[in-house]
Amino acid sequence: MNYLKKVVLVSFCAFFSLSLMAQTHPSIMLTKANVAAVKKGVNTYPLLRQSYQTVKNAADKALAEPIVVPVPKDGGGGYTHEQHKKNYTNLLNCGVAYQISGEKKYADYVKNVMLNYASQYEKWPLHPKRKSEEDGGRIFWQSLNDFVWQIYTIQAYDLVYDGIPATDRKTIEEKLFVPILKFFTEDRYDVFNKIHNHGTWNLAAVGITGYVLNKREYVEIAIKGSKKDGKTGYLAQIDQLFSPDGYYMEGPYYQRYALLPFVLFAKAINNYEPSRKIFEYRDKLLSKAIHTSLQTSYTDKTFFPLNDAIKDKTYESVELVYGVDLAYADIKAEVDLLDIAKQQNRVIVSDAGLKVAADLAAGKSVPFKYQSLWIRDGGKGDEGGLGILRSGANTDQQCVVLKASSQGMGHGHFDRLNLLFYDNTTEIFPDYGAARFLNIDTKNGGGYLPENNTWAKQTVAHNALVVDQTSHFNAKLEPADKASPTLLYFSNQPNLKAVSAKEAKAYTDVAMLRTSALVKVDGLEKPLLIDVMQAQSAKNHQYDLPFWYKGQLVNTSFPVTAKANQLTALGDKNGYQHIWLNASNKLENKAGMVGLLNKNRFYTNHFVSDNPLEVKLLSIGANDPEMNLVDGKAFMLSSSGQNQTFVSITETHGGTDPINETVSSALPSVSELKLVKSDAQQTIISFKLNNKTYTYQINYTEKENYISLR
Amino acid sequence: MNYLKKVVLVSFCAFFSLSLMAQTHPSIMLTKANVAAVKKGVNTYPLLRQSYQTVKNAADKALAEPIVVPVPKDGGGGYTHEQHKKNYTNLLNCGVAYQISGEKKYADYVKNVMLNYASQYEKWPLHPKRKSEEDGGRIFWQSLNDFVWQIYTIQAYDLVYDGIPATDRKTIEEKLFVPILKFFTEDRYDVFNKIHNHGTWNLAAVGITGYVLNKREYVEIAIKGSKKDGKTGYLAQIDQLFSPDGYYMEGPYYQRYALLPFVLFAKAINNYEPSRKIFEYRDKLLSKAIHTSLQTSYTDKTFFPLNDAIKDKTYESVELVYGVDLAYADIKAEVDLLDIAKQQNRVIVSDAGLKVAADLAAGKSVPFKYQSLWIRDGGKGDEGGLGILRSGANTDQQCVVLKASSQGMGHGHFDRLNLLFYDNTTEIFPDYGAARFLNIDTKNGGGYLPENNTWAKQTVAHNALVVDQTSHFNAKLEPADKASPTLLYFSNQPNLKAVSAKEAKAYTDVAMLRTSALVKVDGLEKPLLIDVMQAQSAKNHQYDLPFWYKGQLVNTSFPVTAKANQLTALGDKNGYQHIWLNASNKLENKAGMVGLLNKNRFYTNHFVSDNPLEVKLLSIGANDPEMNLVDGKAFMLSSSGQNQTFVSITETHGGTDPINETVSSALPSVSELKLVKSDAQQTIISFKLNNKTYTYQINYTEKENYISLR
């Protein structure tokens, strides 16, 4: 337990007795004291007005439809699943509409829906579509969705509390919320005490419900765990699930998801017991988590799709709307957050949303400050991390991500030192993300597809080095969870942004070092992405380094002769079975280049190897009986030997203007890429550009002079 | 020669002698009398200001760079090609900047560039990269680009005429423009007199140059052809290249391209000789052509990519900026054209642009009126046409295109009764367009790829019926050019928009009838696309009807078992050699369905056949050695017998909300699609929807009661 945590726990004990203040409602996102101001703000500030209008329209739509509380039956995406989700959204919308409009019909609706649930809930057994006895829900197939349901529903209850009769409240509390609390904390005891996002949702639901019902014993176990020893519970989750930089070990997609219960519960704690100074906890960890979540997105608003991730998820997601509003209003009013709020195009109709909308209306917004960062992973910050390099304005930014973070538990992919590259507000070298059609029942019930394990998690599905056609850690979670990459170097200079990391455990006898840099060179509009992947081994191995790309192949230094009549899979396991081999070329001089056209811009990847080199052109889709995989293409550098270095320079150049039918700089400027030397001390490469020869040198053992370009 | 044409030619003769008015400059898009007003407008109307700013920035950029007039050397997309294109753009921009700013430096630049060309032009032989002696240019690899160059350049000359010394004008005219006129009209005599878009560019360049240089003999041959007999030349082109509805036989992509010389030359004629009433010619044909060009686009701004077409071409293209500005200002001020101008986000800095920008600033714009139309093809309007069915607001419009037009010469595809379907501002059942990377030198010099013939033009590359795996007309142009489909029925009622057409010549002994309809049914938000493809034959044939689709397959009524380890091509010729067969299923009950997810919306295609049915899942890419083809997927209905009817109902339903992680109506509502009867008189189908059974009936022989739904 760190020092700060001790201090907070001491404060916690000291102030607890003082916190039995009179219950006022509402008291979470919207507080009684601020209702008048928010009402006024709705008429004054465009974004708040529009956000409230959306809420009110949805509430009115709910009122116009019959109340339907079906007996739980369907899995994710199915009818009863979606209806129960719809119900909690309706409840919250009507709760807000009641407070702002003062119209009793909204409170009545909430009351009636809740009474309907109260009349049935105790009769519902575990959900028939549950996957196990341990995590089945009662309203939904997995208890996680029940927790989410309760977080929304209890807020709605808080909002209409004063608008419904005490006898009905009694029924709702006794027949619905108390049984739910019991189900969550007793039947789902293990989940409640698990350091995992399912646990966060559970305890946040329990804690907030505890505050609203004034059952503080539930608040206490939510904060300190069932045994009240602090080994589990909310504070333990803040300590263990996040790194000191606020990075959530499962990756950006789940970080976003996990964020909502963290910040909502924090907001409730802060309202009911401000003396706990929860936003200060662990050096303002929650604020860092919100900022880090935003920093792990690209300028197209999407999160880096690392590990199991749904690719079209953006920071417009409601969790980040809560996060940004609260970060700005309750923690620190950093005006670049207003830019995100503007992109989100909504605020929570709440105290925080009022402040955000007012400051936006006052013109305080500045462009969001995307940074080049090394974000540490691990509770202590010593389990690798994420290297993020950025260059250029938000309107046309280059971004490189080196994934050198820890495994991130069951949703982690086996992609140590995976490289992502973005430019021009689009993906250039993407990550596949998860193999899943979220909530689409016809696709494996909307859950993860079998190909998530056989393809998406495997190393070869990423821009990562594969040794002997075997995935990192043999795609086994246990050893992977125990090891993490090491940061060797990080630099954020105007002309040289670089990150270098090492992974020594993914293979028994191969150490991998990857050094990726955005390098500004005179005479080029955009930086060069210089990427050096070095493998060190005492034994002979086969090395494959794929670059999955978006766009169309328009240029190669070698003659492409694609398979004509017959395609076969590249291998039979470890993800290779899902790849079609379209073409392969052995390159005599161990060097070559591939030119791509993506969103009307050219990208040329110049590459060189120290061992004999073969380049393979690949596409996704083999051994996919139900056609679950989405399209993808790659060029893969293949070689074999003991030590192996793959160097590549990705040059961004020119483009096409389809409207005016013009083309500029279709051919690259870099030439004669050579690998001069590569060993444990140094990698030295040279290349020509505008009649000048450049030497790019990495000194692995010199922290002070790690990279130079001459 | 029709009546109207006679009248115009009579007028032409009567007024010709009066037209020898004093030369004033400028006199084309921008006229001397209006310069002051346009200058004022630049400071008043946002769109004109912004459009001028773009022109001026480009002009300033040109001035900041050295003048480069390289000896012609490279093909399309190559350095000298792009430099000469850049030069003509720079010239025109500087010409406009000179008139609006009055700054002499812009005129000097134009003068210097033109003197440079004048010093070299006569030395340049035919272009070294020319494909033939007949159509090679001198500045560019094909003379077409030379014509375009001259159209821009002569406008620039007109704009700076008063700003450069007479001696320099003499040099420029004698050493550059006169030799160009000679080259265009003598060396390129055949092109000049060809009824074809290359001819249009040539004669427009010659005609406008004739006006500007006051060499009216060139105007006369431009209008009436080299022999001045009216059999060729501008008026003959208007008569023969467009249908009475203003449809250009080569299709929307080339219609757009051809439009610029037509409207620019018309504008010049109208300015110099208004008495010719050129905009009235052939019942306001040019106005119709501009409107038809817009009507052959979808709400995503792209043109229907029929025949050889670059797919990302939109009405933002400069030709349509000219077209829309002139249509609005010089022909008829229809306020929905302002909506297009707003989307184009620019106007020509000109008399016409001034009017458009002023009326836009005055708030006169209304949404563009997309229509459901039968657009006739052929000079007399009797060579088939294009059926366009639309439903819904421009923000979310369904659109069906039935291609029943004539072949359209060498750029035509063999895709009689091809069906395109759009919804939600995106393609659902697309057309591949052309196999070409325009101007990208590394891809066959930026020209059409070999796969344009072997794939893109073949029937199977389209949503069209293929008989015996052979393309329409055996993919031979001559017989295809002689035959065109026949319209059987067109209807544009609120609840039933339908088009039915017949093609009897594409195969020797098979007649094809296709009837496509957008049908509004109670209880469904979006109309159903009901498509009936009937083949009539006395002999046994194999029938294939592919539906090329965008999006991801998420549902099927049959178990998909895709090829696992080995893909083979579907055939060995007629485009089949480029298709991978991913899966195939024989459907016992001759019916099935396929569900797609595209841009967060679901589309389910229910289908049924009268003969035993097989459904094949396909993707593009086989026998493509240089990987020239872009990705594409299809489901193909296959059957065999004598007469054959394929019925399909495409249902648009529900969707996913990735931000909120919700799904609605993932499953279709239509069920039990049955083919009750199909013969030469009738096709009768039935289907169930919301517990009601509907009967949809086509009566091929009853024009008054062609389609009914009960």
Side-chain angles (χ1 to χ4, degrees):
Chain A
M1 194 185 301
N2 63 34
Y3 170 73
L4 205 78
K5 194 179 154 193
K6 277 187 203 154
V7 171
V8 171
L9 281 180
V10 169
S11 317
F12 174 89
C13 300
F15 286 95
F16 192 65
S17 54
L18 300 179
S19 68
L20 297 168
M21 58 178 185
Q23 291 283 120
T24 58
H25 300 278
S27 272
I28 307 172
M29 289 299 294
L30 189 63
T31 61
K32 190 158 193 158
N34 270 310
V35 168
V38 174
K39 276 186 184 179
K40 201 176 155 201
V42 160
N43 293 316
T44 315
Y45 307 120
L47 194 55
L48 189 61
R49 174 166 55 230
Q50 169 187 327
S51 301
Y52 175 62
Q53 199 56 54
T54 305
V55 167
K56 188 167 174 297
N57 290 348
D60 289 338
K61 196 168 167 229
L63 261 56
E65 289 173 1
I67 290 171
V68 180
V69 179
V71 175
K73 185 171 137 289
D74 304 321
Y79 170 70
T80 71
H81 182 95
E82 291 299 324
Q83 181 61 32
H84 287 296
K85 282 174 74 174
K86 196 171 152 186
N87 281 346
Y88 71 60
T89 310
N90 286 344
L91 289 174
L92 185 54
N93 286 330
C94 287
V96 172
Y98 170 66
Q99 282 293 336
I100 303 301
S101 74
E103 290 186 66
K104 197 164 172 304
K105 63 182 179 184
Y106 298 113
D108 288 346
Y109 176 86
V110 174
K111 179 190 73 184
N112 292 333
V113 173
M114 287 186 178
L115 284 172
N116 192 325
Y117 272 98
S119 73
Q120 299 190 66
Y121 185 78
E122 291 179 293
K123 292 177 218 156
W124 291 341
L126 279 187
H127 195 283
K129 285 273 172 75
R130 68 188 176 281
K131 298 235 165 106
S132 78
E133 299 305 304
E134 290 71 38
D135 77 351
R138 284 167 74 173
I139 305 177
F140 298 95
W141 68 277
Q142 64 173 348
S143 57
L144 171 62
N145 298 84
D146 285 45
F147 310 147
V148 176
W149 186 93
Q150 177 63 9
I151 285 204
Y152 279 81
T153 303
I154 194 63
Q155 290 184 78
Y157 184 68
D158 181 45
L159 287 161
V160 303
Y161 189 93
D162 292 341
I164 61 181
T167 50
D168 291 331
R169 291 203 305 257
K170 188 161 181 289
T171 307
I172 292 164
E173 293 192 11
E174 287 180 4
K175 299 282 179 191
L176 183 61
F177 293 142
V178 170
I180 281 176
L181 285 172
K182 187 173 165 301
F183 177 63
F184 286 12
T185 58
E186 296 177 24
D187 301 14
R188 289 294 163 265
Y189 180 94
D190 288 347
V191 180
F192 185 78
N193 289 289
K194 198 173 172 186
I195 307 293
H196 183 279
N197 84 64
H198 290 204
T200 319
W201 284 96
N202 186 344
L203 64 83
V206 167
I208 297 171
T209 306
Y211 279 125
V212 173
L213 305 192
N214 201 16
K215 292 181 183 298
R216 292 297 173 89
E217 66 278 18
Y218 282 104
V219 175
E220 201 183 347
I221 61 170
I223 291 176
K224 297 170 67 183
S226 292
K227 293 182 181 157
K228 302 182 191 172
D229 59 4
K231 286 185 182 162
T232 66
Y234 187 58
L235 299 179
Q237 298 225 0
I238 294 181
D239 290 338
Q240 292 174 49
L241 283 179
F242 292 96
S243 80
D245 292 340
Y247 182 74
Y248 180 74
M249 61 190 304
E250 292 189 281
Y253 175 74
Y254 277 96
Q255 167 142 6
R256 170 228 29 111
Y257 185 62
L259 214 52
L260 186 55
F262 273 108
V263 300
L264 257 181
F265 191 24
K267 176 69 174 163
I269 294 171
N270 204 49
N271 286 357
Y272 278 89
E273 303 179 78
S275 54
R276 285 189 190 261
K277 296 190 188 303
I278 189 65
F279 289 123
E280 300 293 324
Y281 186 71
R282 205 185 165 199
D283 200 14
K284 296 195 176 175
L285 194 280
L286 290 171
S287 166
K288 285 180 186 165
I290 296 165
H291 280 84
T292 292
S293 183
L294 294 170
Q295 290 294 345
T296 55
S297 72
Y298 181 55
T299 55
D300 63 358
K301 306 185 190 176
T302 62
F303 295 105
F304 303 144
L306 301 170
N307 296 332
D308 284 347
I310 303 299
K311 290 197 70 169
D312 44 11
K313 203 71 190 177
T314 71
Y315 62 58
E316 294 155 306
S317 188
V318 68
E319 301 88 350
L320 265 294
V321 182
Y322 277 93
V324 167
D325 288 2
L326 290 180
Y328 185 78
D330 289 58
I331 306 178
K332 194 176 174 193
E334 290 162 298
V335 289
D336 67 327
L337 288 173
L338 296 174
D339 184 26
I340 301 290
K342 193 163 59 181
Q343 306 293 330
Q344 290 171 332
N345 203 25
R346 60 171 165 163
V347 290
I348 306 300
V349 180
S350 63
D351 304 6
L354 170 67
K355 185 168 162 65
V356 169
D359 285 3
L360 256 178
K364 293 187 184 173
S365 172
V366 301
F368 181 69
K369 295 192 180 81
Y370 279 107
Q371 293 164 45
S372 294
L373 286 171
W374 170 255
I375 298 175
R376 290 172 294 169
D377 192 5
K380 293 180 186 143
D382 58 359
E383 297 175 42
L386 223 56
I388 304 172
L389 314 177
R390 303 193 193 248
S391 174
N394 291 4
T395 46
D396 185 5
Q397 185 194 73
Q398 277 195 332
C399 176
V400 170
V401 181
L402 184 73
K403 192 199 183 212
S405 51
S406 71
Q407 190 63 23
M409 305 189 291
H411 288 302
H413 287 195
F414 300 93
D415 60 340
R416 299 294 161 102
L417 311 187
N418 180 13
L419 185 81
L420 278 64
F421 180 43
Y422 297 86
D423 183 54
N424 195 21
T425 324
T426 196
E427 293 179 313
I428 311 304
F429 300 143
D431 190 299
Y432 186 89
R436 181 182 190 182
F437 292 94
L438 187 66
N439 290 334
I440 298 183
D441 206 23
T442 50
K443 283 293 196 184
N444 197 30
Y448 289 101
L449 296 160
E451 290 76 15
N452 197 54
N453 284 322
T454 61
W455 166 251
K457 283 186 177 176
Q458 301 292 328
T459 308
V460 75
H462 305 84
N463 305 312
L465 185 70
V466 192
V467 178
D468 300 330
Q469 301 207 2
T470 306
S471 285
H472 298 168
F473 303 100
N474 253 309
K476 292 202 189 323
L477 183 56
E478 209 197 350
D481 255 343
K482 287 186 189 140
S484 49
T486 319
L487 176 70
L488 298 178
Y489 179 72
F490 180 81
S491 159
N492 181 16
Q493 303 157 40
N495 292 326
L496 178 73
K497 296 166 194 295
V499 58
S500 182
K502 180 176 181 172
E503 167 59 56
K505 301 279 177 61
Y507 295 105
T508 338
D509 63 352
V510 181
M512 303 186 288
L513 285 80
R514 191 168 206 164
T515 308
S516 305
L518 285 179
V519 183
K520 274 197 189 160
V521 185
D522 282 349
L524 287 185
E525 216 174 309
K526 287 268 189 175
L528 298 172
L529 163 55
I530 305 185
D531 178 51
V532 177
M533 172 62 92
Q534 192 189 63
Q536 301 170 349
S537 180
K539 293 186 185 165
N540 266 313
H541 291 285
Q542 204 248 310
Y543 297 101
D544 287 339
L545 182 62
F547 287 83
W548 294 96
Y549 66 81
K550 295 276 184 179
Q552 185 73 19
L553 189 72
V554 292
N555 197 9
T556 50
S557 60
F558 46 89
V560 172
T561 315
K563 309 285 177 191
N565 259 313
Q566 197 166 311
L567 276 193
T568 51
L570 187 61
D572 57 7
K573 56 178 184 295
N574 304 325
Y576 282 71
Q577 76 275 25
H578 291 300
I579 299 175
W580 297 117
L581 173 63
N582 296 107
S584 63
N585 281 67
K586 288 186 177 152
L587 302 181
E588 299 231 340
N589 54 356
K590 304 177 186 175
M593 62 95 167
V594 160
L596 308 170
L597 177 66
N598 184 354
K599 213 176 140 188
N600 305 324
R601 197 172 279 181
F602 295 102
Y603 300 88
T604 297
N605 184 279
H606 311 261
F607 48 80
V608 64
S609 157
D610 46 3
N611 293 310
L613 182 65
E614 190 171 355
V615 59
K616 294 172 181 165
L617 299 177
L618 312 174
S619 55
I620 297 174
N623 285 288
D624 178 20
E626 298 186 1
M627 300 182 83
N628 285 332
L629 294 171
V630 300
D631 293 338
K633 296 195 171 188
F635 57 92
M636 177 193 265
L637 309 181
S638 290
S639 191
S640 56
Q642 291 185 3
N643 296 325
Q644 164 65 31
T645 301
F646 292 114
V647 173
S648 78
I649 297 183
T650 306
E651 180 184 345
T652 303
H653 56 102
T656 65
D657 179 341
I659 304 304
N660 294 314
E661 299 200 351
T662 55
V663 166
S664 63
S665 303
L667 296 178
S669 301
V670 168
S671 63
E672 298 182 31
L673 173 62
K674 285 174 190 154
L675 180 48
V676 180
K677 175 189 171 186
S678 192
D679 59 24
Q681 280 71 48
Q682 290 178 321
T683 296
I684 304 175
I685 67 171
S686 71
F687 59 91
K688 270 185 80 171
L689 179 66
N690 298 331
N691 296 317
K692 187 177 160 185
T693 300
Y694 288 87
T695 302
Y696 178 84
Q697 181 165 340
I698 307 171
N699 305 304
Y700 297 108
T701 53
E702 294 180 47
K703 296 276 165 195
E704 297 309 305
N705 180 30
Y706 200 85
I707 296 180
S708 68
L709 178 74
R710 272 185 305 270
Chain B
M1 196 186 302
N2 61 34
Y3 171 73
L4 204 78
K5 193 179 153 193
K6 278 186 200 152
V7 171
V8 172
L9 280 180
V10 169
S11 315
F12 174 89
C13 300
F15 286 92
F16 192 66
S17 55
L18 300 180
S19 68
L20 296 169
M21 59 179 184
Q23 290 283 120
T24 56
H25 300 278
S27 273
I28 308 171
M29 289 299 294
L30 190 63
T31 61
K32 190 157 192 158
N34 270 310
V35 169
V38 174
K39 275 186 187 181
K40 201 177 156 202
V42 161
N43 293 316
T44 315
Y45 307 119
L47 194 55
L48 189 62
R49 175 165 54 229
Q50 168 189 328
S51 301
Y52 175 61
Q53 199 56 55
T54 306
V55 168
K56 188 168 174 295
N57 290 348
D60 289 339
K61 197 168 166 231
L63 261 56
E65 289 174 1
I67 290 171
V68 181
V69 179
V71 175
K73 183 171 136 293
D74 305 320
Y79 170 70
T80 70
H81 182 94
E82 291 299 324
Q83 181 61 32
H84 287 295
K85 282 174 75 175
K86 196 170 149 185
N87 282 345
Y88 71 60
T89 310
N90 286 344
L91 289 173
L92 184 53
N93 286 330
C94 287
V96 173
Y98 170 67
Q99 283 294 336
I100 304 300
S101 73
E103 291 186 66
K104 198 165 172 301
K105 62 182 180 184
Y106 299 112
D108 288 346
Y109 176 87
V110 173
K111 178 190 75 184
N112 291 333
V113 173
M114 289 186 177
L115 285 173
N116 193 325
Y117 273 98
S119 73
Q120 298 190 65
Y121 184 81
E122 290 179 295
K123 294 177 217 156
W124 291 340
L126 280 187
H127 196 281
K129 284 273 172 76
R130 67 188 178 281
K131 299 233 166 108
S132 78
E133 299 305 303
E134 289 70 38
D135 77 350
R138 284 167 74 174
I139 306 177
F140 298 94
W141 67 278
Q142 63 174 347
S143 57
L144 171 62
N145 298 83
D146 286 44
F147 310 148
V148 175
W149 185 94
Q150 177 62 9
I151 283 203
Y152 280 81
T153 303
I154 193 63
Q155 289 184 78
Y157 183 69
D158 181 45
L159 286 161
V160 302
Y161 190 92
D162 291 341
I164 61 182
T167 50
D168 291 329
R169 290 203 305 258
K170 187 162 183 290
T171 308
I172 292 164
E173 294 190 11
E174 287 180 3
K175 299 281 178 189
L176 183 62
F177 295 142
V178 170
I180 281 177
L181 285 171
K182 187 174 167 300
F183 177 63
F184 286 9
T185 57
E186 296 176 24
D187 300 13
R188 289 294 162 263
Y189 180 94
D190 288 346
V191 181
F192 184 79
N193 289 289
K194 197 174 175 187
I195 306 292
H196 183 278
N197 85 64
H198 290 204
T200 319
W201 284 97
N202 187 345
L203 65 83
V206 168
I208 297 170
T209 306
Y211 278 125
V212 173
L213 304 191
N214 201 14
K215 293 182 180 301
R216 292 297 173 88
E217 65 278 20
Y218 282 103
V219 175
E220 199 181 347
I221 61 169
I223 291 176
K224 297 171 65 183
S226 293
K227 293 181 179 157
K228 303 184 193 173
D229 58 4
K231 286 185 182 163
T232 65
Y234 187 59
L235 299 179
Q237 297 226 1
I238 294 181
D239 290 337
Q240 293 174 48
L241 283 179
F242 293 96
S243 81
D245 292 339
Y247 181 74
Y248 181 73
M249 62 190 304
E250 291 189 281
Y253 175 76
Y254 277 97
Q255 168 140 4
R256 171 233 21 119
Y257 186 62
L259 213 53
L260 186 55
F262 273 108
V263 299
L264 256 181
F265 191 25
K267 175 70 174 164
I269 294 171
N270 204 50
N271 286 355
Y272 279 89
E273 303 179 78
S275 54
R276 285 187 189 261
K277 296 190 189 300
I278 188 66
F279 288 123
E280 300 293 322
Y281 186 69
R282 203 184 166 200
D283 199 14
K284 295 196 176 174
L285 195 280
L286 289 171
S287 166
K288 285 181 188 167
I290 295 166
H291 280 85
T292 292
S293 183
L294 295 170
Q295 290 294 346
T296 56
S297 72
Y298 181 55
T299 56
D300 63 357
K301 307 183 189 177
T302 62
F303 295 105
F304 303 144
L306 301 169
N307 296 331
D308 283 347
I310 302 298
K311 290 197 69 169
D312 44 10
K313 203 73 191 174
T314 72
Y315 61 58
E316 294 155 307
S317 188
V318 68
E319 301 89 350
L320 265 293
V321 182
Y322 277 93
V324 166
D325 289 1
L326 289 180
Y328 186 80
D330 289 58
I331 306 177
K332 194 176 175 196
E334 289 162 298
V335 289
D336 68 326
L337 288 173
L338 296 174
D339 183 27
I340 300 290
K342 192 161 60 180
Q343 306 292 332
Q344 290 171 333
N345 203 24
R346 61 171 165 162
V347 291
I348 305 301
V349 180
S350 63
D351 303 7
L354 169 67
K355 184 168 162 67
V356 169
D359 285 2
L360 255 178
K364 293 188 185 172
S365 172
V366 302
F368 181 70
K369 294 193 180 79
Y370 279 108
Q371 292 165 47
S372 293
L373 287 170
W374 171 254
I375 299 175
R376 291 172 293 169
D377 192 6
K380 292 180 186 145
D382 58 358
E383 297 174 41
L386 224 53
I388 304 173
L389 314 177
R390 304 194 194 246
S391 174
N394 291 4
T395 48
D396 185 6
Q397 183 194 75
Q398 278 195 332
C399 176
V400 170
V401 181
L402 184 72
K403 191 197 182 213
S405 51
S406 70
Q407 190 64 22
M409 305 188 291
H411 288 301
H413 287 196
F414 300 93
D415 60 340
R416 299 293 161 101
L417 311 188
N418 180 14
L419 185 80
L420 276 63
F421 180 44
Y422 296 85
D423 183 54
N424 196 20
T425 324
T426 196
E427 292 178 313
I428 311 303
F429 300 143
D431 189 299
Y432 186 91
R436 180 181 192 184
F437 291 94
L438 187 65
N439 289 334
I440 298 184
D441 206 22
T442 52
K443 284 293 194 184
N444 197 30
Y448 289 100
L449 295 161
E451 291 75 16
N452 196 53
N453 284 322
T454 61
W455 166 251
K457 283 186 177 175
Q458 300 294 328
T459 307
V460 75
H462 305 83
N463 305 311
L465 186 70
V466 192
V467 178
D468 300 331
Q469 301 206 3
T470 306
S471 286
H472 298 167
F473 303 99
N474 253 311
K476 292 203 190 321
L477 183 56
E478 209 197 352
D481 255 343
K482 286 185 188 141
S484 48
T486 319
L487 175 70
L488 299 179
Y489 180 72
F490 180 80
S491 159
N492 181 17
Q493 304 157 39
N495 292 325
L496 178 73
K497 295 166 195 296
V499 58
S500 183
K502 180 175 181 172
E503 168 58 56
K505 301 277 178 62
Y507 295 105
T508 339
D509 62 352
V510 180
M512 305 185 287
L513 286 80
R514 191 168 205 164
T515 308
S516 305
L518 284 179
V519 182
K520 274 198 189 160
V521 185
D522 281 348
L524 286 184
E525 216 173 309
K526 287 268 189 173
L528 298 172
L529 164 56
I530 304 184
D531 178 52
V532 177
M533 172 62 93
Q534 193 189 65
Q536 301 170 350
S537 181
K539 292 188 185 163
N540 266 314
H541 291 286
Q542 204 249 309
Y543 296 102
D544 287 339
L545 182 62
F547 287 83
W548 294 96
Y549 66 81
K550 294 276 183 180
Q552 186 72 20
L553 189 73
V554 292
N555 197 10
T556 50
S557 59
F558 47 88
V560 173
T561 315
K563 310 285 178 191
N565 259 312
Q566 198 167 308
L567 277 192
T568 51
L570 187 61
D572 58 7
K573 56 179 184 293
N574 304 328
Y576 281 72
Q577 75 276 25
H578 291 300
I579 298 176
W580 297 118
L581 173 63
N582 296 106
S584 63
N585 281 64
K586 287 185 176 153
L587 302 181
E588 299 232 339
N589 53 357
K590 305 176 186 174
M593 62 96 165
V594 160
L596 308 171
L597 177 66
N598 183 354
K599 214 177 143 191
N600 305 322
R601 196 172 280 180
F602 295 103
Y603 300 88
T604 298
N605 184 280
H606 311 262
F607 49 79
V608 64
S609 159
D610 47 3
N611 293 311
L613 183 64
E614 190 171 356
V615 60
K616 294 173 181 165
L617 300 177
L618 313 173
S619 54
I620 297 173
N623 285 290
D624 177 21
E626 297 186 5
M627 299 181 82
N628 285 334
L629 294 171
V630 300
D631 293 338
K633 295 195 171 190
F635 58 92
M636 176 195 263
L637 309 180
S638 289
S639 192
S640 58
Q642 290 185 5
N643 296 327
Q644 164 64 32
T645 301
F646 292 114
V647 173
S648 78
I649 298 184
T650 304
E651 180 185 346
T652 303
H653 56 102
T656 66
D657 179 341
I659 304 303
N660 295 314
E661 299 200 349
T662 55
V663 166
S664 63
S665 304
L667 295 177
S669 301
V670 168
S671 63
E672 297 181 31
L673 173 63
K674 285 173 191 156
L675 180 48
V676 179
K677 174 188 170 187
S678 193
D679 58 25
Q681 280 70 49
Q682 289 178 321
T683 295
I684 304 176
I685 67 170
S686 72
F687 59 90
K688 269 185 77 172
L689 179 66
N690 298 331
N691 296 316
K692 189 177 159 183
T693 300
Y694 288 86
T695 302
Y696 179 85
Q697 182 166 338
I698 307 171
N699 304 305
Y700 296 108
T701 53
E702 295 181 43
K703 294 278 166 195
E704 296 309 305
N705 179 31
Y706 200 84
I707 296 182
S708 69
L709 178 73
R710 274 184 305 268

